[in-house]
Amino acid sequence: MLISSVWSAYSLDGSGGEVTNNIVRLSTINATPNIAVYIWQADSNTVTQSYIWSSSTGVYLDVGSDRNTISFSTIIGQAVDGYGLIAVDADSNTVTQSWLSGGEVGVWLQAGSDYNAVSLSTMIGTADEGLFIDGSDANTMTQIYSWGGASGLTFFTGSDFNQVSFSTVIGADPTNYYALGAIGASSNTVYNSYIKGPTAALVSRSTG
């Protein structure tokens, strides 16, 4: 399925059967107040060369949405508590050469979202985090720019074996926040990267 111009929320729901190999290309998707693109239990779909805007959340990869690809796209969750992209228990997805911005968090990987890859992309969290990894393992970020109004990037409780390389991470709050944090998260690796904040890196209750 090829969709070329969509002006309302778009969803792929695989809960009732297989939903795979759909393509959203060269599209504009606007949604108020809904999520712009919602994918649930749907695999191997592609969003490319598209502009996605929502007053809440731009893209939501819900439980069991695996091996999807987002590329060459701009994704915005405009609200104060908005998110550019959320993934919940969604694995092996790829985001590349894209701009993801949220009023609160740019990208939030949570609840067992493992083996995802983000590359050559910008993540902006206006109020909070550029990238927040929560209870998710073995994700790879390379050549990213992650900026947060509070913190740039956080590995939170139970987020282990993630890797960041050749990237820039900035926490903009000049008071008590950090650029890069590992809080209850272990065996994560950051290398060949530029980290800037009032506290460049915070490690708490973490090992490895």
Side-chain angles (χ1 to χ4, degrees):
M1 177 169 59
L2 174 63
I3 295 185
S4 57
S5 292
V6 181
W7 287 93
S8 60
Y10 176 74
S11 65
L12 294 171
D13 181 355
S15 60
E18 186 175 89
V19 177
T20 61
N21 300 312
N22 297 285
I23 299 173
V24 178
R25 178 186 296 133
L26 297 169
S27 299
T28 297
I29 302 176
N30 291 340
T32 301
N34 300 315
I35 297 164
V37 174
Y38 180 72
I39 300 175
W40 182 33
Q41 296 183 21
D43 302 333
S44 303
N45 302 288
T46 299
V47 176
T48 188
Q49 295 171 276
S50 295
Y51 178 86
I52 297 167
W53 182 94
S54 170
S55 60
S56 59
T57 293
V59 174
Y60 197 128
L61 300 176
D62 211 344
V63 175
S65 295
D66 306 326
R67 299 180 303 282
N68 298 287
T69 299
I70 297 170
S71 64
F72 302 104
S73 295
T74 296
I75 300 171
I76 299 172
Q78 188 69 41
V80 173
D81 58 351
Y83 304 91
L85 180 146
I86 297 178
V88 180
D89 194 15
D91 300 334
S92 301
N93 298 287
T94 299
V95 177
T96 187
Q97 299 185 75
S98 295
W99 171 284
L100 304 105
S101 176
E104 185 172 354
V105 175
V107 173
W108 186 6
L109 305 180
Q110 61 169 297
S113 292
D114 307 325
Y115 304 105
N116 298 288
V118 182
S119 65
L120 299 164
S121 296
T122 295
M123 291 166 284
I124 304 292
T126 303
D128 202 347
E129 309 265 354
L131 173 60
F132 190 71
I133 302 176
D134 182 5
S136 299
D137 301 334
N139 298 286
T140 301
M141 279 64 65
T142 186
Q143 293 179 270
I144 64 166
Y145 179 89
S146 186
W147 183 98
S151 305
L153 190 160
T154 298
F155 302 113
F156 200 61
T157 304
S159 295
D160 306 324
F161 302 104
N162 298 286
Q163 181 175 288
V164 178
S165 62
F166 303 102
S167 297
T168 297
V169 178
I170 296 176
D173 192 297
T175 55
N176 299 319
Y177 287 89
Y178 49 84
L180 173 70
I183 302 171
S186 300
S187 301
N188 297 288
T189 302
V190 179
Y191 67 95
N192 285 5
S193 296
Y194 176 76
I195 314 295
K196 181 182 179 181
T199 298
L202 171 70
V203 179
S204 174
R205 296 182 287 108
S206 304
T207 61

